[in-house]
Amino acid sequence: MKKSLKKYVLTTILLCSVLQILPAENRPRITIIATGGTIAGISSSPTEASYDPARLSVEVLMEQVPALNDVAQINGFQLCNVASQHMTTAIWIRLASVIDSLFSNGQCDGIVVTHGTDTMEETAFFLDLVLPHQNPVILTGAMRPSNGLGADGPANLFNAVCLAADSAAHGRGVMAVMNDYIFAAAEFTKTHTVNPQAFESPDHGPIGVIRGGKPVFFRSPRPVHTVHSRFSIRQLQQIVLPRVEVVLSYAGASSIPVEALIENGVEGIVVAGVGHGNYSLDIEKSIDRAVRCGVFVVRGSRVLRGGVTFGVESLSDSQIVSGFLSPQKARILLMLALTRYNTVEQVGELFGRYR
Ligand code: GLU
Protein backbone atom coordinates (compact mmCIF):
# COMPACT_ATOMS: atom_id res chain seq x y z
CA MET A 1 0.00 0.00 0.00
CA LYS A 2 1.34 3.43 -0.87
CA LYS A 3 2.35 5.49 2.15
CA SER A 4 -0.19 8.28 1.47
CA LEU A 5 -3.04 5.77 0.93
CA LYS A 6 -2.13 3.92 4.13
CA LYS A 7 -2.16 7.21 6.03
CA TYR A 8 -5.58 8.06 4.54
CA VAL A 9 -7.04 4.68 5.52
CA LEU A 10 -5.62 4.85 9.05
CA THR A 11 -6.87 8.42 9.55
CA THR A 12 -10.34 7.44 8.30
CA ILE A 13 -10.49 4.45 10.68
CA LEU A 14 -9.33 6.63 13.57
CA LEU A 15 -11.85 9.37 12.76
CA CYS A 16 -14.67 6.87 12.39
CA SER A 17 -13.92 5.30 15.74
CA VAL A 18 -13.60 8.67 17.49
CA LEU A 19 -16.88 9.88 15.98
CA GLN A 20 -18.48 6.43 16.30
CA ILE A 21 -19.23 6.47 12.57
CA LEU A 22 -19.42 3.07 10.91
CA PRO A 23 -18.01 2.59 7.39
CA ALA A 24 -20.86 3.32 4.95
CA GLU A 25 -21.52 -0.29 3.95
CA ASN A 26 -21.80 -1.42 7.60
CA ARG A 27 -24.37 1.19 8.58
CA PRO A 28 -27.93 -0.02 9.16
CA ARG A 29 -30.27 0.29 6.18
CA ILE A 30 -33.08 2.67 7.05
CA THR A 31 -36.03 3.44 4.80
CA ILE A 32 -37.81 6.75 5.30
CA ILE A 33 -41.47 6.43 4.29
CA ALA A 34 -42.97 9.88 3.80
CA THR A 35 -46.70 10.46 4.18
CA GLY A 36 -46.90 14.28 4.36
CA GLY A 37 -47.64 16.62 7.27
CA THR A 38 -46.04 19.84 8.45
CA ILE A 39 -42.56 18.34 8.20
CA ALA A 40 -43.15 18.51 4.45
CA GLY A 41 -44.95 21.86 4.68
CA ILE A 42 -44.01 25.24 3.25
CA SER A 43 -45.05 28.73 4.30
CA SER A 44 -44.84 31.85 2.17
CA SER A 45 -42.16 33.29 4.50
CA PRO A 46 -40.18 32.02 7.53
CA THR A 47 -42.25 34.18 9.90
CA GLU A 48 -45.70 33.49 8.44
CA ALA A 49 -47.91 31.46 10.80
CA SER A 50 -50.03 29.77 8.15
CA TYR A 51 -48.57 27.27 5.71
CA ASP A 52 -49.36 24.46 3.29
CA PRO A 53 -48.65 21.01 4.78
CA ALA A 54 -47.56 18.02 2.68
CA ARG A 55 -45.69 19.76 -0.13
CA LEU A 56 -42.08 18.49 -0.08
CA SER A 57 -41.01 15.10 -1.37
CA VAL A 58 -39.10 12.55 0.67
CA GLU A 59 -35.96 13.31 -1.37
CA VAL A 60 -36.06 16.96 -0.26
CA LEU A 61 -36.59 15.94 3.39
CA MET A 62 -33.51 13.72 3.14
CA GLU A 63 -31.41 16.43 1.44
CA GLN A 64 -32.20 18.83 4.29
CA VAL A 65 -30.34 16.58 6.75
CA PRO A 66 -27.06 15.39 5.16
CA ALA A 67 -25.96 13.96 8.56
CA LEU A 68 -28.49 11.12 8.09
CA ASN A 69 -25.92 9.50 5.82
CA ASP A 70 -23.37 9.33 8.66
CA VAL A 71 -25.82 7.24 10.67
CA ALA A 72 -27.39 4.90 8.14
CA GLN A 73 -27.74 3.86 4.53
CA ILE A 74 -30.85 5.83 3.70
CA ASN A 75 -33.59 5.10 1.19
CA GLY A 76 -36.70 7.18 0.64
CA PHE A 77 -40.22 6.05 -0.27
CA GLN A 78 -43.11 8.42 -0.89
CA LEU A 79 -46.26 6.60 0.21
CA CYS A 80 -48.60 9.59 -0.08
CA ASN A 81 -48.46 13.31 0.63
CA VAL A 82 -51.37 14.32 2.86
CA ALA A 83 -52.08 16.45 5.89
CA SER A 84 -52.74 13.85 8.55
CA GLN A 85 -56.29 15.03 9.28
CA HIS A 86 -56.90 13.36 5.89
CA MET A 87 -55.33 10.06 6.90
CA THR A 88 -57.54 7.02 6.16
CA THR A 89 -57.71 3.37 7.12
CA ALA A 90 -56.94 2.51 3.47
CA ILE A 91 -53.62 4.42 3.72
CA TRP A 92 -52.88 2.64 7.03
CA ILE A 93 -53.29 -0.73 5.36
CA ARG A 94 -51.05 0.28 2.45
CA LEU A 95 -48.43 1.67 4.84
CA ALA A 96 -48.42 -1.45 7.03
CA SER A 97 -48.22 -3.67 3.93
CA VAL A 98 -45.22 -1.76 2.56
CA ILE A 99 -43.43 -1.99 5.92
CA ASP A 100 -44.26 -5.70 6.22
CA SER A 101 -42.84 -6.46 2.79
CA LEU A 102 -39.68 -4.34 3.30
CA PHE A 103 -38.87 -6.26 6.49
CA SER A 104 -40.01 -9.66 5.22
CA ASN A 105 -37.83 -9.33 2.11
CA GLY A 106 -34.84 -8.21 4.17
CA GLN A 107 -34.70 -4.90 2.34
CA CYS A 108 -34.06 -2.72 5.38
CA ASP A 109 -33.24 -2.88 9.08
CA GLY A 110 -35.46 -0.09 10.37
CA ILE A 111 -38.11 2.31 9.18
CA VAL A 112 -38.91 5.95 9.83
CA VAL A 113 -42.37 7.21 8.87
CA THR A 114 -42.72 10.97 8.46
CA HIS A 115 -46.28 11.98 9.29
CA GLY A 116 -48.52 14.90 10.16
CA THR A 117 -48.78 15.38 13.88
CA ASP A 118 -52.59 15.57 14.08
CA THR A 119 -53.16 11.82 13.78
CA MET A 120 -49.62 10.50 14.26
CA GLU A 121 -50.65 8.71 17.45
CA GLU A 122 -53.41 6.82 15.62
CA THR A 123 -51.20 5.64 12.75
CA ALA A 124 -48.50 4.62 15.26
CA PHE A 125 -51.00 2.59 17.30
CA PHE A 126 -52.45 0.88 14.22
CA LEU A 127 -48.95 -0.15 13.10
CA ASP A 128 -48.11 -1.30 16.64
CA LEU A 129 -51.12 -3.63 16.55
CA VAL A 130 -50.61 -5.17 13.10
CA LEU A 131 -46.88 -5.36 12.27
CA PRO A 132 -45.43 -8.78 13.07
CA HIS A 133 -41.81 -7.56 13.29
CA GLN A 134 -39.23 -6.73 15.96
CA ASN A 135 -37.43 -4.20 13.75
CA PRO A 136 -37.80 -0.56 14.74
CA VAL A 137 -40.57 1.53 13.19
CA ILE A 138 -40.36 5.16 14.27
CA LEU A 139 -42.83 7.93 13.47
CA THR A 140 -41.83 11.55 13.42
CA GLY A 141 -43.01 14.90 12.10
CA ALA A 142 -42.80 18.59 12.83
CA MET A 143 -44.83 21.37 14.37
CA ARG A 144 -43.21 24.06 12.20
CA PRO A 145 -43.08 24.00 8.41
CA SER A 146 -39.79 23.18 6.69
CA ASN A 147 -38.91 26.83 5.99
CA GLY A 148 -40.33 28.28 9.24
CA LEU A 149 -38.03 29.99 11.75
CA GLY A 150 -36.77 27.32 14.14
CA ALA A 151 -38.13 24.47 12.02
CA ASP A 152 -38.12 21.30 14.14
CA GLY A 153 -38.47 18.77 11.31
CA PRO A 154 -34.76 18.22 10.52
CA ALA A 155 -33.80 17.53 14.16
CA ASN A 156 -36.80 15.23 14.61
CA LEU A 157 -35.94 13.35 11.41
CA PHE A 158 -32.30 12.97 12.48
CA ASN A 159 -33.33 11.66 15.91
CA ALA A 160 -35.84 9.25 14.38
CA VAL A 161 -33.21 7.83 12.01
CA CYS A 162 -30.71 7.51 14.88
CA LEU A 163 -33.33 5.59 16.88
CA ALA A 164 -34.35 3.36 13.97
CA ALA A 165 -30.66 2.56 13.37
CA ASP A 166 -29.93 1.67 17.00
CA SER A 167 -30.01 -1.96 18.09
CA ALA A 168 -31.53 -0.89 21.44
CA ALA A 169 -34.73 0.02 19.58
CA HIS A 170 -35.41 -3.60 18.55
CA GLY A 171 -38.37 -5.35 20.13
CA ARG A 172 -39.86 -2.22 21.73
CA GLY A 173 -42.82 -1.89 19.39
CA VAL A 174 -43.66 1.10 17.25
CA MET A 175 -42.40 4.39 18.69
CA ALA A 176 -42.59 8.10 17.96
CA VAL A 177 -39.83 10.65 18.35
CA MET A 178 -40.74 14.31 18.80
CA ASN A 179 -38.66 17.08 20.36
CA ASP A 180 -36.04 14.60 21.67
CA TYR A 181 -38.60 12.43 23.50
CA ILE A 182 -39.29 8.80 22.62
CA PHE A 183 -42.89 7.62 23.06
CA ALA A 184 -44.52 4.19 22.90
CA ALA A 185 -47.28 4.00 20.29
CA ALA A 186 -50.06 2.96 22.67
CA GLU A 187 -49.27 5.66 25.20
CA PHE A 188 -48.70 9.04 23.57
CA THR A 189 -50.99 11.80 22.39
CA LYS A 190 -50.85 15.30 20.99
CA THR A 191 -51.40 17.79 23.82
CA HIS A 192 -50.57 21.13 22.19
CA THR A 193 -51.90 22.58 18.95
CA VAL A 194 -48.85 24.62 17.88
CA ASN A 195 -45.85 24.31 20.22
CA PRO A 196 -42.89 22.08 19.20
CA GLN A 197 -43.25 20.39 22.63
CA ALA A 198 -46.59 18.98 21.48
CA PHE A 199 -46.59 15.35 22.63
CA GLU A 200 -46.92 13.59 25.95
CA SER A 201 -47.66 10.17 27.37
CA PRO A 202 -50.11 11.46 29.98
CA ASP A 203 -50.33 8.36 32.18
CA HIS A 204 -46.98 6.75 31.55
CA GLY A 205 -44.43 9.39 30.54
CA PRO A 206 -41.99 9.03 27.64
CA ILE A 207 -40.07 5.77 27.37
CA GLY A 208 -36.81 7.58 26.71
CA VAL A 209 -34.95 10.49 25.17
CA ILE A 210 -32.43 10.96 22.40
CA ARG A 211 -29.15 12.55 23.46
CA GLY A 212 -26.50 13.31 20.83
CA GLY A 213 -28.04 10.81 18.44
CA LYS A 214 -28.21 7.96 20.99
CA PRO A 215 -31.37 6.70 22.65
CA VAL A 216 -31.50 6.56 26.44
CA PHE A 217 -34.39 4.32 27.51
CA PHE A 218 -36.05 4.79 30.88
CA ARG A 219 -38.27 1.71 30.65
CA SER A 220 -39.96 -0.75 28.27
CA PRO A 221 -43.33 -0.07 26.67
CA ARG A 222 -46.34 -2.10 27.75
CA PRO A 223 -45.80 -5.68 26.55
CA VAL A 224 -48.60 -6.25 24.03
CA HIS A 225 -47.41 -4.92 20.68
CA THR A 226 -46.19 -5.99 17.22
CA VAL A 227 -45.08 -9.65 17.45
CA HIS A 228 -47.14 -10.08 20.65
CA SER A 229 -50.30 -8.62 19.12
CA ARG A 230 -53.19 -10.85 18.02
CA PHE A 231 -53.54 -8.97 14.73
CA SER A 232 -51.44 -9.02 11.61
CA ILE A 233 -51.51 -6.90 8.49
CA ARG A 234 -51.29 -10.14 6.50
CA GLN A 235 -54.82 -11.04 7.61
CA LEU A 236 -56.22 -7.60 6.78
CA GLN A 237 -55.39 -7.46 3.08
CA GLN A 238 -58.83 -8.23 1.66
CA ILE A 239 -60.80 -6.78 4.57
CA VAL A 240 -62.67 -3.50 4.83
CA LEU A 241 -62.25 -2.52 8.46
CA PRO A 242 -65.55 -2.42 10.38
CA ARG A 243 -67.10 1.00 10.82
CA VAL A 244 -66.50 2.31 14.34
CA GLU A 245 -67.18 5.91 15.36
CA VAL A 246 -66.44 8.07 18.40
CA VAL A 247 -69.16 10.08 20.21
CA LEU A 248 -68.34 12.87 22.66
CA SER A 249 -70.31 13.35 25.87
CA TYR A 250 -70.74 16.75 27.59
CA ALA A 251 -73.32 18.47 29.79
CA GLY A 252 -76.67 18.09 28.07
CA ALA A 253 -75.38 15.91 25.22
CA SER A 254 -78.31 14.66 23.11
CA SER A 255 -79.06 11.26 21.65
CA ILE A 256 -78.85 12.55 18.06
CA PRO A 257 -75.31 11.34 17.17
CA VAL A 258 -75.77 7.82 18.58
CA GLU A 259 -79.22 7.42 16.97
CA ALA A 260 -77.76 8.54 13.63
CA LEU A 261 -74.93 6.03 13.95
CA ILE A 262 -77.37 3.20 14.68
CA GLU A 263 -79.41 4.18 11.61
CA ASN A 264 -76.22 4.19 9.52
CA GLY A 265 -75.36 0.66 10.57
CA VAL A 266 -72.11 1.22 12.47
CA GLU A 267 -70.65 -1.87 14.07
CA GLY A 268 -69.02 -0.13 16.99
CA ILE A 269 -69.19 3.08 19.02
CA VAL A 270 -66.59 4.45 21.42
CA VAL A 271 -68.01 7.01 23.80
CA ALA A 272 -65.53 9.69 24.84
CA GLY A 273 -67.35 10.10 28.11
CA VAL A 274 -66.97 12.68 30.85
CA GLY A 275 -64.96 11.76 33.93
CA HIS A 276 -64.57 8.03 34.41
CA GLY A 277 -66.41 7.22 31.18
CA ASN A 278 -69.82 8.61 32.14
CA TYR A 279 -72.38 10.10 29.80
CA SER A 280 -75.58 12.10 29.70
CA LEU A 281 -78.97 10.46 30.25
CA ASP A 282 -79.88 10.89 26.57
CA ILE A 283 -76.65 9.24 25.44
CA GLU A 284 -77.20 6.48 27.99
CA LYS A 285 -80.65 5.73 26.56
CA SER A 286 -79.43 5.68 22.97
CA ILE A 287 -76.37 3.60 23.90
CA ASP A 288 -78.65 1.01 25.54
CA ARG A 289 -80.58 0.86 22.26
CA ALA A 290 -77.33 0.55 20.28
CA VAL A 291 -76.28 -2.42 22.44
CA ARG A 292 -79.70 -4.06 21.92
CA CYS A 293 -79.18 -3.57 18.15
CA GLY A 294 -75.88 -5.48 18.34
CA VAL A 295 -73.54 -2.48 18.21
CA PHE A 296 -70.35 -2.97 20.26
CA VAL A 297 -69.87 -0.07 22.67
CA VAL A 298 -66.62 0.89 24.39
CA ARG A 299 -66.74 3.28 27.27
CA GLY A 300 -63.79 5.70 27.20
CA SER A 301 -63.11 9.15 28.55
CA ARG A 302 -62.37 12.59 27.17
CA VAL A 303 -60.20 13.18 30.27
CA LEU A 304 -56.45 13.10 29.53
CA ARG A 305 -55.30 10.96 32.45
CA GLY A 306 -56.54 8.02 34.48
CA GLY A 307 -58.30 5.92 31.85
CA VAL A 308 -61.57 4.05 32.37
CA THR A 309 -61.29 0.86 34.38
CA PHE A 310 -63.86 -1.64 35.53
CA GLY A 311 -66.40 -1.32 38.28
CA VAL A 312 -67.03 2.38 38.71
CA GLU A 313 -70.54 3.87 38.61
CA SER A 314 -73.21 2.19 36.50
CA LEU A 315 -71.37 -0.03 34.10
CA SER A 316 -73.52 -2.74 32.59
CA ASP A 317 -72.13 -6.13 31.54
CA SER A 318 -72.83 -5.28 27.94
CA GLN A 319 -70.17 -2.60 27.81
CA ILE A 320 -66.45 -2.73 27.36
CA VAL A 321 -64.06 -0.20 28.90
CA SER A 322 -61.14 1.50 27.16
CA GLY A 323 -58.61 1.16 29.99
CA PHE A 324 -55.78 3.62 29.37
CA LEU A 325 -56.45 3.94 25.67
CA SER A 326 -57.71 7.30 24.45
CA PRO A 327 -61.07 7.17 22.60
CA GLN A 328 -59.30 7.52 19.24
CA LYS A 329 -57.05 4.57 20.05
CA ALA A 330 -59.88 2.49 21.53
CA ARG A 331 -61.64 2.97 18.18
CA ILE A 332 -58.69 1.38 16.34
CA LEU A 333 -58.56 -1.58 18.71
CA LEU A 334 -62.33 -2.06 18.38
CA MET A 335 -62.14 -1.97 14.57
CA LEU A 336 -59.49 -4.69 14.64
CA ALA A 337 -61.31 -6.65 17.34
CA LEU A 338 -64.44 -6.82 15.19
CA THR A 339 -62.46 -8.43 12.35
CA ARG A 340 -61.97 -11.45 14.65
CA TYR A 341 -64.46 -11.54 17.48
CA ASN A 342 -68.22 -11.34 17.74
CA THR A 343 -69.10 -11.48 21.43
CA VAL A 344 -68.86 -8.83 24.12
CA GLU A 345 -66.93 -11.29 26.31
CA GLN A 346 -64.26 -11.79 23.63
CA VAL A 347 -63.90 -8.09 22.87
CA GLY A 348 -63.92 -7.22 26.58
CA GLU A 349 -61.17 -9.78 27.23
CA LEU A 350 -59.15 -8.29 24.37
CA PHE A 351 -59.44 -4.76 25.77
CA GLY A 352 -58.38 -6.14 29.15
CA ARG A 353 -55.15 -7.39 27.57
CA TYR A 354 -54.35 -4.30 25.51
CA ARG A 355 -55.27 -1.53 27.91
N1 GLU B 1 -52.68 19.20 10.20
C1 GLU B 1 -51.48 18.84 9.55
C2 GLU B 1 -51.15 17.36 9.71
O1 GLU B 1 -51.43 16.75 10.72
C3 GLU B 1 -50.34 19.61 10.01
C4 GLU B 1 -50.03 19.38 11.44
C5 GLU B 1 -48.67 18.82 11.61
O2 GLU B 1 -48.18 18.01 10.84
O3 GLU B 1 -48.06 19.24 12.58
O4 GLU B 1 -50.58 16.82 8.79
Side-chain angles (χ1 to χ4, degrees), residues 178-198:
M178 289 294 289
N179 205 28
D180 294 349
Y181 286 111
I182 307 171
F183 299 104
E187 301 169 358
F188 79 108
T189 190
K190 188 171 183 177
T191 58
H192 200 289
T193 52
V194 289
N195 197 293
Q197 178 42 45

Side-chain angles (χ1 to χ4, degrees), residues 167-180:
S167 57
H170 276 250
R172 291 180 187 266
V174 174
M175 292 174 271
V177 169
M178 289 294 289
N179 205 28
D180 294 349

Side-chain angles (χ1 to χ4, degrees), residues 36-39 51 53 82-85 115-119 142-144 190:
T38 297
I39 192 167
Y51 60 92
V82 297
S84 74
Q85 62 268 37
H115 199 286
T117 57
D118 289 357
T119 61
M143 293 299 290
R144 293 177 176 156
K190 188 171 183 177

Side-chain angles (χ1 to χ4, degrees), residues 218-289:
F218 307 146
R219 63 179 173 87
S220 297
R222 287 178 295 157
V224 186
H225 56 71
T226 55
V227 292
H228 312 289
S229 176
R230 292 185 191 170
F231 306 99
S232 165
I233 185 59
R234 294 174 199 159
Q235 280 135 25
L236 298 175
Q237 295 303 333
Q238 307 305 331
I239 289 178
V240 179
L241 287 175
R243 187 133 202 103
V244 175
E245 302 285 349
V246 178
V247 169
L248 185 71
S249 187
Y250 41 86
S254 80
S255 61
I256 295 172
V258 175
E259 292 297 329
L261 292 176
I262 299 170
E263 294 321 309
N264 278 278
V266 292
E267 290 167 67
I269 296 175
V270 176
V271 186
V274 291
H276 193 257
N278 302 309
Y279 28 79
S280 67
L281 272 181
D282 278 1
I283 291 193
E284 198 163 307
K285 275 189 217 135
S286 55
I287 283 293
D288 284 347
R289 193 169 91 78

